Each structure stands twice: as structure tokens, then as C-alpha cells.
Amino acid sequence: EPEVTQTPSHQVTQMGQEVILRCVPISNHLYFYWYRQILGQKVEFLVSFYNNEISEKSEIFDDQFSVERPDGSNFTLKIRSTKLEDSAMYFCASRVGLAGGPLGGELFFGEGSRLTVL
Amino acid sequence: AQSVTQLDSHVSVSEGTPVLLRCNYSSSYSPSLFWYVQHPNKGLQLLLKYTSAATLVKGINGFEAEFKKSETSFHLTKPSAHMSDAAEYFCVVSDAGGFKTIFGAGTRLFVKA
């Protein structure tokens, strides 16, 4: 069964360092997402990406964050200068179509990348 | 704008008894609603989805949910809890045609032997 894969599963970094989290969405999916979950808290929307551009982003997704689809398979989240409060589990997700459409609209999630900022 | 409220942060049931996890939503447009489950140190797995077809939706592992527009609710139920059901459950809403998909705060389900 096709799945979303994320690397690394766990990354430890020093405050101020740049981090890139990588995701390989399901191959025929068109919409890509990043969410984060701070330990013990809710899953928060960061950004959605479609047709090689950001379609929507939350207030969390400030200038420190960027996303890119550098080739036909990878979807990356970059944090330019990490802060302690960036420590969280980051989930990548993809969907084949939008909610309410004929293709169902559910998100398929990866297993997550745990980021620890020291 | 969408929002979703899970009314209980924790629910504890005994094995073999019914499960009820409550969810209320608000949405400007015809919403699609989902329930996801997250087992410890695992990713998010889809349990079931409502996308404007039948209001009673059946999912995996014996779970089902009923969409009630008049009550703006989408509660998750299971007739008989199993130990393996212990996990965090998230109610999720997405406006039809919208990019953004919003999670509720989650309900942690404990199942006692």
C-alpha cells in the first residue's frame, strides 16, 4: 500500500541551526501539507502546497519556515534558524484531491519527524 | 472559517463497554469530517470520513460516526471497547474545496481491563 515517508525520524539540533525535514508524498497525490504537534498538545496546521506554490499557511508559518518541492517526489520543510519552541513532531501529509470532491479528500500522514532543539 | 471542538480531553472505559468520543464543528461551507487515531509514537491513521454521502459512517476496527447537521456534531462511537483501542483520537474538519484541514485538540481514550 502506498504511504507517505518522512526523514529523519528524529533530529537533534542546536538553537539557531537550520533544519530540513524531508517527505516523500504518495506519488499520485497533488496536495501536500505540513503539520506540527508539540508534545502533549494538538496537531497544528502549518502550510498547504499545491501546483508548486503555497496555497494556505497558518500564523505559525512565519519567515523562518519555507517549503519546497525540489523534484517530482520530495517535499521539504526548512526551518532557517531553529528556536527552542520549534521542538515538536512534524507530520507531512498528502491528499489526492480536495475535501468534498470525488476523490475523498482524506489526508495520508507520514510517521512524523521528531525535532529536538537544544 | 472552520473550527472543531472535542468535548472531552480524556475518556476512560472498561473493556467490552461502549465508547463515545464527542466532536462538534463549525464550518462556513459543506464540511468534510474525519476521525484519525494516533497510537503512542505512531503517525496518524484515518478511522473514517464523512463527505456528504450517508450520515452514518462506518470505519475501521468497528468504529462509526454520525453526522448531525442540526447539532453540528460528528461523534465517534464503538459498541465494545478493546484494549488495543487505547490511543489519541482526533476529529478533523475540512471545508469542501478548501486547502486547510483543522484538527481538534484530541481525546485520549483509556481502556481498563
Side-chain angles (χ1 to χ4, degrees):
Chain A
E1 186 175 322
E3 58 182 19
V4 176
T5 57
Q6 290 185 242
T7 55
S9 56
H10 189 191
Q11 181 160 354
V12 181
T13 190
Q14 296 291 324
M15 192 169 55
Q17 294 297 303
E18 177 182 283
V19 161
I20 298 177
L21 305 179
R22 291 182 169 80
C23 171
V24 180
I26 295 173
S27 62
N28 65 332
H29 285 190
L30 301 177
Y31 303 86
F32 313 113
Y33 297 78
W34 284 100
Y35 287 81
R36 80 171 184 192
Q37 184 180 32
I38 296 171
L39 187 63
Q41 298 186 26
K42 67 188 292 184
V43 178
E44 300 172 293
F45 169 79
L46 291 179
V47 66
S48 60
F49 191 87
Y50 169 71
N51 200 27
N52 285 318
E53 61 183 24
I54 291 173
S55 46
E56 196 148 1
K57 60 183 181 179
S58 72
E59 59 274 11
I60 302 168
F61 194 88
D62 61 21
D63 291 344
Q64 292 298 314
F65 291 90
S66 62
V67 289
E68 195 176 38
R69 190 158 162 81
D71 53 42
S73 59
N74 290 284
F75 179 52
T76 62
L77 174 69
K78 182 192 291 187
I79 309 174
R80 288 193 184 81
S81 177
T82 50
K83 303 187 285 285
L84 295 176
E85 52 266 37
D86 294 327
S87 295
M89 181 74 91
Y90 288 81
F91 290 104
C92 175
S94 67
R95 69 188 348 164
V96 63
L98 290 176
L103 300 174
E106 67 262 37
L107 289 166
F108 292 80
F109 285 87
E111 293 272 313
S113 293
R114 181 169 297 285
L115 176 64
T116 302
V117 182
L118 302 176
Chain B
Q2 323 107 299
S3 69
V4 56
T5 302
Q6 290 185 243
L7 297 160
D8 307 291
S9 59
H10 298 86
V11 169
S12 183
V13 300
S14 297
E15 192 173 23
T17 64
V19 175
L20 170 64
L21 305 182
R22 298 182 294 167
C23 172
N24 285 97
Y25 70 92
S26 68
S27 176
S28 303
Y29 304 102
S30 299
S32 289
L33 294 154
F34 310 85
W35 276 97
Y36 283 83
V37 61
Q38 183 181 34
H39 287 93
N41 300 314
K42 293 288 187 182
L44 293 148
Q45 180 186 18
L46 180 71
L47 274 180
L48 50 79
K49 64 182 181 183
Y50 165 77
T51 54
S52 76
T55 55
L56 182 62
V57 181
K58 294 187 185 300
I60 62 172
N61 301 334
F63 284 94
E64 60 182 41
E66 187 172 7
F67 173 72
K68 292 187 177 179
K69 187 175 181 178
S70 61
E71 299 177 9
T72 61
S73 69
F74 189 59
H75 301 333
L76 182 70
T77 60
K78 182 173 180 177
S80 175
H82 191 271
M83 295 297 288
S84 60
D85 294 328
E88 186 95 19
Y89 291 79
F90 294 96
C91 183
V92 177
V93 64
S94 187
D95 281 343
F99 291 100
K100 206 169 179 180
T101 296
I102 300 298
F103 278 68
T107 298
R108 182 163 295 278
L109 176 65
F110 297 94
V111 182
K112 299 174 289 188

